[in-house]
Each structure stands twice: as structure tokens, then as C-alpha cells.
Amino acid sequence: MSESKISVKLHILDISEPELQPSSLSSLAQTCKTWGFFHIINHGISTDLYSKICSMSNDLFSLPSETKLKLGPFSSSKTYTPHFLASPFFESLRVSGPNFFASAQSSADVLFDQQSSLFSEMLQEYGTKMAELSKKITEILLMSLGDGFKKKYESEFKNCQGYMRINNYSAPQNLDDEVEGLGMHTDMSCVTILYQDQIGGLQVRSEEGKWMDISPCEGTLLVNIGDMLQAWSNEKLRSSEHRVVLRRPENRFSLAFFWCFEDDKVVLAPDDVVGEGSERIYKPFVCLDYLKFRENNERGKFEKVGFTVKDFAGAKPQVM
Ligand SMILES: O=C(O)CCC(=O)C(=O)O
Ligand SMILES: [Fe+2]
């Protein structure tokens, strides 16, 4: 499967800057149209918080399968995705906002014998910070679309909600070649903020269909555009296909935060976003209907995707 070990060079956005230069905004817009991925620096999350969450996550995923399976996918809580659903190497735990503490604690209560709120407190802190960052990032992305778009935050994005997935990739044995840890997919979010550890393996698919590595870069977080924002921006922002390949006999840890429209939001690119003389690429659709489509469709299922928002709401029929 080894196709490419070429790393892509992505725009780096300093999120602490109070005012961005027009050149920085236009470079961001270009990156988002071409790759849909960029790095952020000075995000204010300490390495200490990541080490702690990573170590807690190790404890959690080391529990026996029977214990973890009490959380899903066939239990009522469905917060746990076991091995073999997305890939033999992938498992994850979902923690939902806005009350990340309560969500994490309800999983911790099932998993751990000893009562402790440390895990949930950390995830509450992380979730809150990620929600703040997501708001800031969305506003900057709106500004990158052009003058006057920032004000759309209030009317369109103020009810966005976040959830996160703690992802654990187990170490592949007998590595002659790389293996797929997480199959090709697009995210269903508006934006995703991703922390990946130093193992590497995340890849983005170029517009020409070539897989490019996104190498870990210490101190940065990775942001990518999801399907909701691709549709809302009439493809001025791209939701790129990505995947994870495993090349090293080591465990890999990542933490993905998804910032999404509320379930009953009708996604429709505003006229001024579409622009005069351009066609609207997507028909209006209700967010939850798209999420269900992805969940229920064999070809659009969870991480294994060939079927996304364009197939669901594209104004023109897709050539299959
Ligand atoms: O583990 C990673 O680096 C990527 C995870 C991912 O793409 C996802 O959870 O949607
Ligand atoms: Fe993803």
C-alpha cells in the first residue's frame, strides 16, 4: 500500500494574533481551497494537558474488551467504537459537549471501578478550550472568504456544538509494509481540530488523488474543514479526504474535536457567499439528515467513505 511519503507544506496560522494581515488571510483562503487543512500555533493548550489525556487514554484502552464493550456499539451509550468497525487497528471513545464533564464521567463510571473525576475534569477543560478555539477559527475562516462575512457568525454559526473522539491505534505486528489504521473519509463537521502524537501516518488526498503525508509538528494543532462548511461555503473551503496509515510497530494516539452545526440547522450557502454569476452547488439540507445518511449508508458508513455530502445534496447528479 505504500504510495507516498511526500509531506505537504500547509499554511501556519498564528491564532493568538489579534488582527490578521490581508496577505495571511488570502494565503489561508488558498490553503483551505486546495487542501482544506492548515496548522495553528500559539493555541494555548499545554503539552502537559496532552500528556495527561494521553496517559489516561492508555489506561482506558488497555482495559479488557468486555469492559469497553459495555459502552458500545451495541449498548445504549454507543460512545465506544471497537476494533474492526473502522479498521482492525482503530478504536475510539466519544465525549460530547457542551457538558464534556458529564459525558466523560458517564463513560468513566462504567469503565473504572475506582471513582475519580480526574479524567472528566481534564476533558472538560480540553473541550471548553477547543470550543473557544473553534469559534475563533470559524470567524477567521469567514474573514478569509471576504470582507463582511465575519458577521455571519452570529446568524449562522452561533448554535454550533462540539464533540471529541479519543482515538487509539494499536501497533501493527509483522510490518513489511504500511497498513491502513483509518480508511479514507471526510469529516462531517464544520471544522475539526486534530492533535496527533509524534508517530505520524495521517495523509490527505490531493485534488489529483495523490496521498500526501501530514507530518506531526510539535506545538501545532491541525485544523481541517468538514463537509458542512464545504457545502455552506459553496466549496470555497474544501473538505478533503484523509486517512491514517500505520508504519511503525507503536501505538498511535490522536484527539479529534468536531465543531458541528446543530442537528436541525438547514445548511444553505448564502447568496453573497455563492457570489453573483455562480451556481449554488448544494441543495439545502438538514444537518441531521446528512448525519443519518452517512450512518446508514453502507458506502458512506462511518470512516469508510466514498459517499459524502456531494452525493447527498449535490445540485447536479454525480457521475459514479
Ligand atoms: O487520527 C488521526 O490523525 C485522524 C483522525 C480522523 O481523521 C478522525 O477522527 O476523523
Ligand atoms: Fe477525520
Side-chain angles (χ1 to χ4, degrees):
M1 193 173 88
S2 67
E3 267 184 57
S4 127
K5 298 213 169 53
I6 308 165
S7 289
V8 57
K9 240 181 123 44
L10 298 169
H11 181 85
I12 300 174
L13 174 73
D14 183 346
I15 196 82
S16 70
E17 266 184 36
E19 207 143 306
L20 288 162
Q21 298 298 318
S23 62
S24 179
L25 282 175
S26 72
S27 153
L28 178 67
Q30 192 52 49
T31 303
C32 290
K33 192 161 175 50
T34 315
W35 294 107
F37 274 86
F38 58 94
H39 295 286
I40 55 172
I41 51 167
N42 295 327
H43 45 70
I45 317 288
S46 69
T47 46
D48 185 51
L49 184 59
Y50 282 116
S51 318
K52 284 185 185 147
I53 298 178
C54 180
S55 134
M56 284 263 178
S57 128
N58 268 333
D59 295 346
L60 188 157
F61 289 112
S62 306
L63 291 166
S65 294
E66 310 87 80
T67 310
K68 293 182 283 187
L69 283 170
K70 288 184 196 158
L71 293 176
F74 306 111
S75 76
S76 58
S77 97
K78 293 189 173 59
T79 50
Y80 175 64
T81 301
H83 289 129
F84 291 99
L85 263 194
S87 98
F89 306 100
F90 175 90
E91 57 182 333
S92 81
L93 183 80
R94 180 184 164 124
V95 179
S96 304
N99 192 340
F100 296 97
F101 181 90
S103 173
Q105 194 61 43
S106 67
S107 291
D109 286 345
V110 174
L111 294 175
F112 301 113
D113 293 333
Q114 276 170 350
Q115 297 291 311
S116 158
S117 57
L118 211 61
F119 176 69
S120 320
E121 279 162 16
M122 271 173 350
L123 292 176
Q124 174 63 31
E125 179 184 346
Y126 191 70
T128 311
K129 286 189 169 157
M130 284 296 118
E132 282 165 18
L133 267 182
S134 302
K135 281 181 202 159
K136 218 165 168 181
I137 290 165
T138 310
E139 283 179 343
I140 293 174
L141 287 172
L142 291 174
M143 283 195 277
S144 82
L145 291 179
D147 275 348
F149 286 115
K150 189 181 171 190
K151 63 175 184 301
K152 295 218 180 288
Y153 188 86
E154 265 315 290
S155 56
E156 299 270 348
F157 294 89
K158 69 168 188 309
N159 295 324
C160 277
Q161 296 267 323
Y163 72 93
M164 59 182 126
R165 264 208 319 248
I166 309 170
N167 299 325
N168 182 51
Y169 299 81
S170 44
Q173 308 293 317
N174 308 322
L175 259 183
D176 295 328
D177 198 358
E178 61 193 27
V179 294
E180 205 164 68
L182 186 60
M184 173 173 93
H185 68 283
T186 58
D187 291 351
M188 293 179 269
S189 52
C190 285
V191 291
T192 303
I193 307 179
L194 184 79
Y195 168 84
Q196 61 165 335
D197 67 10
Q198 292 304 306
I199 304 285
L202 178 67
Q203 295 187 316
V204 58
R205 197 158 173 252
S206 73
E207 285 168 313
E208 296 78 36
K210 202 170 161 41
W211 286 110
M212 310 279 284
D213 284 352
I214 301 183
S215 306
C217 182
E218 230 174 327
T220 70
L221 285 171
L222 196 62
V223 177
N224 66 288
I225 312 293
D227 296 341
M228 299 295 177
L229 204 49
Q230 169 170 292
W232 185 89
S233 69
N234 212 38
E235 297 196 354
K236 292 194 166 72
L237 305 166
R238 174 170 176 229
S239 172
S240 300
E241 284 135 339
H242 52 285
R243 68 175 184 183
V244 175
V245 295
L246 305 172
R247 300 180 175 126
R248 289 160 56 169
E250 284 167 85
N251 244 69
R252 180 176 184 275
F253 163 78
S254 75
L255 196 50
F257 183 88
F258 304 95
W259 187 242
C260 308
F261 282 132
E262 63 276 24
D263 283 352
D264 59 358
K265 160 100 181 163
V266 177
V267 181
L268 175 68
D271 287 339
D272 47 353
V273 172
V274 175
E276 231 171 277
S278 300
E279 279 182 43
R280 189 173 272 113
I281 303 171
Y282 297 87
K283 295 177 273 194
F285 65 93
V286 177
C287 259
L288 187 63
D289 292 343
Y290 176 54
L291 304 185
K292 284 192 183 152
F293 165 84
R294 280 281 294 264
E295 235 172 61
N296 298 330
N297 197 300
E298 247 333 288
R299 292 184 56 198
K301 210 165 180 161
F302 197 39
E303 274 77 19
K304 296 176 186 158
V305 180
F307 228 42
T308 66
V309 68
K310 196 95 168 229
D311 306 282
F312 179 68
K316 293 199 178 119
Q318 294 299 295
V319 182
M320 303 303 286

